[in-house]
Amino acid sequence: LVVFVTFTVGIIMMGKQQLATLEEIYTQKVVPLDDLRKMQLIFRELEYRMAAVTADMVAAIGSGEHLKQSLKDIDGLWTDVKMRITDDTLLKEREDFERGYSGFKKVAVKLKDAYFNDDPKGVIAVYDEYLDFKPLIFKSIDKMAETQEKEVRAYNIEKKKLISKINRLVIIISLFLIGIFLSLGITINRSITRPINDTVSMLKDIAEGKGNLTKRLT
């Protein structure tokens, strides 16, 4: 019983450790990857709205309000990403994004003025300025996201191998314990039943008048 309780507690502790590790990979790898993709979508929508306003497909003032909210969303997402991505190999990409995003914020000031003044031609001029920072923004996001994806896949493969090893170990230990307990059970059962059977056999012989009364029973 003690062995099985200890074995069960060990399995539970391993399970908790695995959950903690999965939580870590989720918060440190998956969440920032999701945030990066959200940022990318926001930038694409901002670009679409610039083109749509110049083509008179979308209201300029509404796009101005959207731009203000988008900048707040990007700021929040990027703050979270910087806190979670600590890989030194991505330092250059982080710096590139911040440089590109800083340039875009300056462009955004002019873009908001053009939107709220309902000036499509001003939007066209600002769009040309945005193109100077677009490659820097999107390339850095893509590189960071690609690295995060690779780390998630590598971690997944590593954990699959580890879980497979643990499963094999659990099966081996279980079979070993079953064998030990079966052997102990058979041995204990024989040590109890053998003297009882010997006693019953001798008493039966005595009752039938065939017993040797001088024989000693261990």
Side-chain angles (χ1 to χ4, degrees):
L1 181 60
V2 171
V3 171
F4 269 117
V5 169
T6 304
F7 185 57
T8 303
V9 170
I11 292 177
I12 293 173
M13 294 301 292
M14 282 192 295
K16 287 184 176 181
Q17 185 179 7
Q18 290 299 313
L19 287 174
T21 307
L22 289 173
E23 177 67 20
E24 180 183 356
I25 192 65
Y26 176 74
T27 56
Q28 297 300 321
K29 304 300 180 187
V30 178
V31 170
L33 174 61
D34 188 43
D35 288 344
L36 287 168
R37 291 308 184 194
K38 287 178 182 177
M39 289 164 54
Q40 199 171 46
L41 288 173
I42 292 173
F43 277 111
R44 291 193 184 283
E45 188 171 359
L46 289 172
E47 185 177 356
Y48 162 76
R49 281 183 173 270
M50 282 187 269
V53 168
T54 57
D56 200 22
M57 296 171 57
V58 176
I61 295 177
S63 296
E65 295 296 337
H66 176 267
L67 175 60
K68 286 164 59 177
Q69 184 59 48
S70 295
L71 289 173
K72 290 180 182 178
D73 293 340
I74 293 172
D75 285 339
L77 290 168
W78 180 238
T79 298
D80 189 59
V81 169
K82 283 196 299 183
M83 182 180 66
R84 297 178 188 275
I85 293 183
T86 57
D87 191 346
D88 291 338
T89 60
L90 294 175
L91 182 60
K92 180 181 180 300
E93 283 68 29
R94 288 172 55 183
E95 292 175 349
D96 286 347
F97 175 80
E98 289 185 338
R99 190 164 63 254
Y101 185 42
S102 295
F104 175 77
K105 281 185 174 180
K106 295 176 182 177
V107 172
V109 174
K110 300 177 183 178
L111 185 59
K112 278 191 286 186
D113 290 339
Y115 279 153
F116 287 116
N117 291 326
D118 197 9
D119 181 14
K121 290 184 179 179
V123 174
I124 293 174
V126 172
Y127 182 77
D128 290 337
E129 291 185 43
Y130 160 72
L131 293 178
D132 293 335
F133 302 103
K134 177 183 175 181
L136 203 58
I137 292 171
F138 279 90
K139 284 181 180 179
S140 58
I141 290 178
D142 281 337
K143 179 61 178 178
M144 286 186 284
E146 181 184 353
T147 302
Q148 292 297 105
E149 288 175 356
K150 287 180 179 178
E151 290 184 1
V152 170
R153 285 196 295 268
Y155 181 85
N156 182 47
I157 293 172
E158 178 187 345
K159 284 303 168 185
K160 279 184 177 180
K161 291 179 180 178
L162 178 61
I163 290 172
S164 178
K165 289 180 180 179
I166 291 174
N167 288 339
R168 286 198 297 268
L169 180 62
V170 168
I171 291 173
I172 291 171
I173 293 175
S174 298
L175 292 174
F176 178 72
L177 290 176
I178 289 172
I180 289 177
F181 289 135
L182 283 175
S183 300
L184 287 173
I186 293 172
T187 302
I188 293 172
N189 184 58
R190 285 180 177 176
S191 68
I192 295 173
T193 57
R194 183 177 297 158
I196 294 175
N197 289 336
D198 291 343
T199 304
V200 170
S201 178
M202 176 172 284
L203 292 175
K204 183 178 180 182
D205 289 342
I206 293 173
E208 292 175 353
K210 302 177 183 177
N212 181 3
L213 297 180
T214 62
K215 183 180 179 181
R216 295 183 63 84
L217 179 64
T218 304

